[in-house]
Amino acid sequence: MATRSAGPLGRRWEYYLLDAVAKDSSHLVRLAVDLYGAEINWAARIAETYGTRDENAIHYLVSSFGLEWKLGDTLFETAVLNDKHRAASAIASMQSLVPASPEITADTDTVQIALVQCPSEIGQVAKNLRRLTKHIRRAAEQGAKIVVLPETSVTGYLSQDLQTNWGLEGRPQSYPQSLDPAPYAETKYGDSVKAMAALATQLGIFITVPYIEKDGPFFFNSISLVGPSSTSESPVLAHYRKNCPWPHPEKSWATPGEGIEDSIYDTPYGRVGLAICFDIHSILAKYASRDLWALLYPIAWVGRTDAWFACELPDRLGKVNCPHYILGANWATFAPASWQGAGGSSVYAPGGRLLAHATESRFRGCEDLVLVEIPTQKAMPRLGPLDIEKYSDWTSEQVGTDYWRLLAMQQQSVGLVTSRTDSN
């Protein structure tokens, strides 16, 4: 079969760029741009069928390049999904040379946000990215300007049956099976973050990218915020490492992050901060003086979501006078699970009032998309500051919030004893 027998004329760049992706060649990407730069439509959709009549789609049969391809929506996404990292990096770099979209300004008093309640498979990064991308595009099509994804949804958190967890040699493990995070974790500027940054730029929206981050020998439960002003050279607008990893599953692999200095970003709609799941018991005090509009809050909960997200959490937020919105996206399961924890993604107003909650029409914890319109920072209700004293009580009463501090003290004590023994 000929590679091309259908599609609009004058689009030879399609063939050359698909060939560059197939060969994972940054040189061929640059050559195609040199030849056809002004003609290239980086946002063109990869056609799922040969000879599609969609004028905005790429008209080549991808299997004609000799590969069983995983199709993304664009050339860049297709390169990432098929592990063609050299080609993906070159495409991202070339895309950044295209004139930037006009700066977004908030000319209304409200903005639509989306919580993606989505399952992920542990270690299946490419599959997870495809699933997340579909939800993100759906959210953007329905007007969402900020999209929050579940905790480590790019890399996966735990297996769906709660039998497999990330684990490092020498660390205590709470689950039957361990999976080394090293082959799956990414750096702060890794391929997944760049892919999401390109998507955010294309759609003109902000996206939280939750993933397992590696930094030398250490692994972090992290979020990168990407958005319309992200570039291939600077894709990350804000970055956060979970300050208080939940000890039960994360003591086997995680290192706590330190502080929130890089975790705040002023969007056109208001100032946002970042936090992850178990952080809710201790992070609000760190943001108390930062005049937040909203906390973007990826979650992978284990426990009764109906009681926690619909009743107990809003009650606690009200008692401590939480002064900002909390936008919480929890994970989901593919089928009804024997354990509780999936579902219940929710939006809370200042003061803890529940504004939106996942409807979960098929079963508790199923895939869902929560869309809600909330006031921007200039129009939000002002309730006064967080009650630090009451929130301190909440933190101290929660089991596990002092785990990492006590562990550090124990390790320091062992180090001192060892040092004294060696000196004797």
Side-chain angles (χ1 to χ4, degrees):
M1 180 183 291
T3 302
R4 181 189 181 108
S5 64
L9 299 175
R11 288 171 60 170
R12 287 175 292 177
W13 56 269
E14 295 179 348
Y15 173 85
Y16 287 104
L17 284 174
L18 277 173
D19 188 45
V21 171
K23 295 175 179 176
D24 197 19
S25 171
S26 57
H27 170 72
L28 289 179
V29 170
R30 288 191 289 269
L31 182 61
V33 172
D34 287 343
L35 291 172
Y36 305 109
E39 303 173 26
I40 296 174
N41 176 11
W42 294 109
R45 187 177 64 82
I46 299 289
E48 294 186 6
T49 57
Y50 181 65
T52 175
R53 294 181 181 180
D54 183 351
E55 293 184 359
N56 295 316
I58 289 175
H59 290 257
Y60 292 97
L61 185 66
V62 291
S63 61
S64 69
F65 288 87
L67 296 174
E68 291 296 327
W69 284 36
K70 300 173 184 176
L71 290 182
D73 284 327
T74 64
L75 283 162
F76 178 80
E77 291 171 23
T78 298
V80 170
L81 289 173
N82 290 281
D83 297 323
K84 307 296 184 181
H85 300 308
R86 286 186 292 271
S89 179
I91 290 171
S93 179
M94 294 299 102
Q95 284 179 294
S96 71
L97 300 178
V98 178
S101 302
E103 183 178 354
I104 296 176
T105 57
D107 55 0
T108 66
D109 290 337
T110 62
V111 62
Q112 181 144 271
I113 61 94
L115 311 178
V116 172
Q117 184 169 293
C118 181
S120 290
E121 298 176 63
I122 189 168
Q124 299 295 317
V125 174
K127 289 177 69 175
N128 294 337
L129 282 173
R130 290 189 70 181
R131 186 177 297 111
L132 293 168
T133 297
K134 288 181 180 178
H135 282 288
I136 292 166
R137 287 189 177 279
R138 179 181 162 211
E141 287 169 0
Q142 297 184 60
K145 298 301 181 185
I146 297 176
V147 179
V148 184
L149 306 180
E151 181 176 8
T152 64
S153 51
V154 168
T155 326
Y157 188 68
L158 291 164
S159 63
Q160 289 269 306
D161 58 5
L162 299 191
Q163 295 299 297
T164 304
N165 182 31
W166 302 110
L168 299 175
E169 187 175 354
R171 292 277 200 103
Q173 177 62 272
S174 302
Y175 295 83
Q177 299 174 35
S178 287
L179 184 63
D180 184 354
Y184 310 97
E186 302 183 39
T187 65
K188 178 179 177 181
Y189 301 106
D191 291 331
S192 296
V193 171
K194 288 182 178 179
M196 287 294 184
L199 181 63
T201 303
Q202 180 190 97
L203 299 176
I205 64 174
F206 294 90
I207 305 169
T208 63
V209 187
Y211 62 106
I212 293 180
E213 178 191 356
K214 59 183 175 183
D215 188 353
F218 303 107
F219 295 87
F220 300 91
N221 188 333
S222 296
I223 314 171
S224 287
L225 179 68
V226 298
S229 59
S230 293
T231 66
S232 58
E233 289 79 16
S234 300
V236 178
L237 305 180
H239 176 255
Y240 174 76
R241 292 170 170 173
K242 192 174 183 179
N243 280 200
C244 190
W246 183 30
H248 184 67
E250 294 176 63
K251 65 178 181 287
S252 63
W253 63 272
T255 295
E258 297 181 358
I260 58 168
E261 292 309 311
D262 298 324
S263 310
I264 298 170
Y265 185 77
D266 288 314
T267 75
Y269 317 106
R271 176 172 295 174
V272 298
L274 305 173
I276 303 172
C277 203
F278 196 70
D279 279 326
I280 196 66
H281 303 300
S282 55
I283 199 70
L284 299 185
K286 296 182 180 181
Y287 282 115
S289 63
R290 302 305 181 97
D291 191 30
L292 286 194
W293 163 61
L295 188 69
L296 311 185
Y297 179 49
I299 311 166
W301 203 255
V302 177
R304 287 191 58 190
T305 54
D306 52 349
W308 175 250
F309 291 119
C311 301
E312 188 173 351
L313 181 55
D315 182 60
R316 289 195 187 195
L317 294 171
K319 287 179 178 177
V320 301
N321 196 48
C322 179
H324 50 71
Y325 292 92
I326 294 181
L327 315 179
N330 195 23
W331 62 347
T333 55
F334 293 106
S338 60
W339 52 273
Q340 297 187 57
S345 299
S346 300
V347 175
Y348 305 94
R353 182 167 61 91
L354 183 63
L355 291 181
H357 191 68
T359 56
E360 301 173 356
S361 58
R362 293 189 294 124
F363 58 85
R364 184 69 182 173
C366 68
E367 261 179 301
D368 206 350
L369 182 65
V370 179
L371 290 159
V372 62
E373 196 165 292
I374 64 174
T376 58
Q377 188 155 18
K378 67 180 181 180
M380 69 184 288
R382 300 286 180 170
L383 303 183
L386 180 76
D387 190 321
I388 295 294
E389 184 175 349
K390 289 182 179 178
Y391 187 65
S392 179
D393 291 340
W394 171 356
T395 301
S396 61
E397 291 168 4
Q398 177 62 48
V399 176
T401 53
D402 60 351
Y403 174 86
W404 300 99
R405 179 180 61 83
L406 295 176
L407 180 63
M409 290 173 60
Q410 181 184 25
Q411 291 172 337
Q412 185 178 25
S413 176
V414 170
L416 288 172
V417 171
T418 303
S419 176
R420 288 170 182 167
T421 302
D422 291 344
S423 65
N424 290 333

